[in-house]
Amino acid sequence: MYLADIGVKCPNCGVKFNSKQLPELVDTGLRNSELRQHVGDVRPEYEQYLILTCPSCGKSAWATDFAPTSEVCVLNQPNKPPHLQYRNAAIWAEREGGNFFGVAMYYLYAAWCADDVNAVPQALEYRRLAVDAFRKSLIDVSCPHSSRADVEYLIGELCRRTGDFTRCKEYFQAVIGRLPALYSTMARKLMKLADMGSAELVDFEGIN
């Protein structure tokens, strides 16, 4: 995995610092049941390089929110676990009045990065927070129309992944009629896993 050293400017305080980012992302097209590109032996785990934190004011956000700069930077991005950076980004987004869809995505990525370092309690909490924010994004319409099916599917799957099997089944039963074919097929499989008391991650069948 090739990383590039990129100087950036904080959108909050204006401080310039050095960051490490992925200049290019390669999408295999494979997904797991949480829609992460992380299936079988394919484990890119690139999410850790999509988040930045300012070493001055502490603001965390997507790397794309930090404008590149050609000026010489003295400071470096802090060495902070990615899942904590995503959590911090979600808190900043809520504080600044950001939409719930954006907050939910930060918590979802936080959960994935917590999985990568076996931070189990944190990963469960991030998923619960993501479910709450995704639900609110459907109400305040901050969820893009093109992502609505993804979100409606993810809410049910994240409930299962946190061990809330009853909520998972009830939710999928309520929305399965309007889910696209691939999602409705997966939803039925996930409901069966919920009946079995399984919260294990599985491959998303039909995506390649």
Side-chain angles (χ1 to χ4, degrees):
M1 187 180 294
Y2 171 67
L3 295 178
D5 292 315
I6 300 175
V8 295
K9 180 179 179 180
C10 177
N12 183 60
C13 69
V15 162
K16 303 173 184 64
F17 62 97
N18 296 305
S19 69
K20 288 190 178 297
Q21 300 184 41
L22 284 173
E24 182 180 5
L25 299 179
V26 178
D27 193 339
T28 64
L30 299 173
R31 296 289 186 275
N32 63 26
S33 54
E34 287 187 339
L35 305 185
R36 186 185 188 188
Q37 186 183 175
H38 184 177
V39 180
D41 294 330
V42 181
R43 298 172 60 90
E45 298 179 5
Y46 59 73
E47 292 85 5
Q48 60 184 305
Y49 302 111
L50 303 182
I51 189 79
L52 293 181
T53 297
C54 176
S56 178
C57 68
K59 178 181 175 63
S60 296
W62 300 111
T64 51
D65 289 351
F66 291 77
T69 179
S70 58
E71 297 181 43
V72 176
C73 302
V74 177
L75 298 175
N76 296 312
Q77 67 184 60
N79 184 20
K80 189 175 183 181
H83 73 91
L84 294 181
Q85 292 187 68
Y86 278 112
R87 174 183 178 275
N88 189 41
I91 293 172
W92 271 84
E94 288 187 276
R95 185 187 304 158
E96 295 174 341
N99 63 64
F100 283 111
F101 178 76
V103 171
M105 290 304 294
Y106 279 136
Y107 278 127
L108 179 61
Y109 276 53
W112 293 346
C113 289
D115 286 343
D116 294 341
V117 295
N118 201 33
V120 178
Q122 293 92 331
L124 287 173
E125 181 61 16
Y126 296 147
R127 285 182 170 87
R128 294 187 186 103
L129 291 169
V131 166
D132 183 60
F134 274 136
R135 281 181 173 274
K136 290 177 180 176
S137 80
L138 295 174
I139 296 173
D140 73 357
V141 202
S142 61
C143 172
H145 180 73
S146 60
S147 298
R148 188 174 182 90
D150 301 340
V151 168
E152 291 190 321
Y153 163 82
L154 274 173
I155 290 173
E157 169 59 346
L158 291 173
C159 286
R160 184 187 72 88
R161 293 280 286 131
T162 60
D164 195 343
F165 303 122
T166 298
R167 191 178 182 189
C168 164
K169 292 186 292 182
E170 290 177 348
Y171 182 82
F172 274 140
Q173 288 168 354
V175 304
I176 198 168
R178 60 174 180 265
L179 291 177
L182 278 177
Y183 283 149
S184 61
T185 298
M186 272 302 294
R188 291 186 180 91
K189 177 178 180 177
L190 299 177
M191 289 168 69
K192 290 180 180 178
L193 290 175
D195 278 331
M196 296 166 57
S198 173
E200 293 302 309
L201 194 64
V202 296
D203 290 356
F204 193 114
E205 298 177 356
I207 288 186
N208 52 51

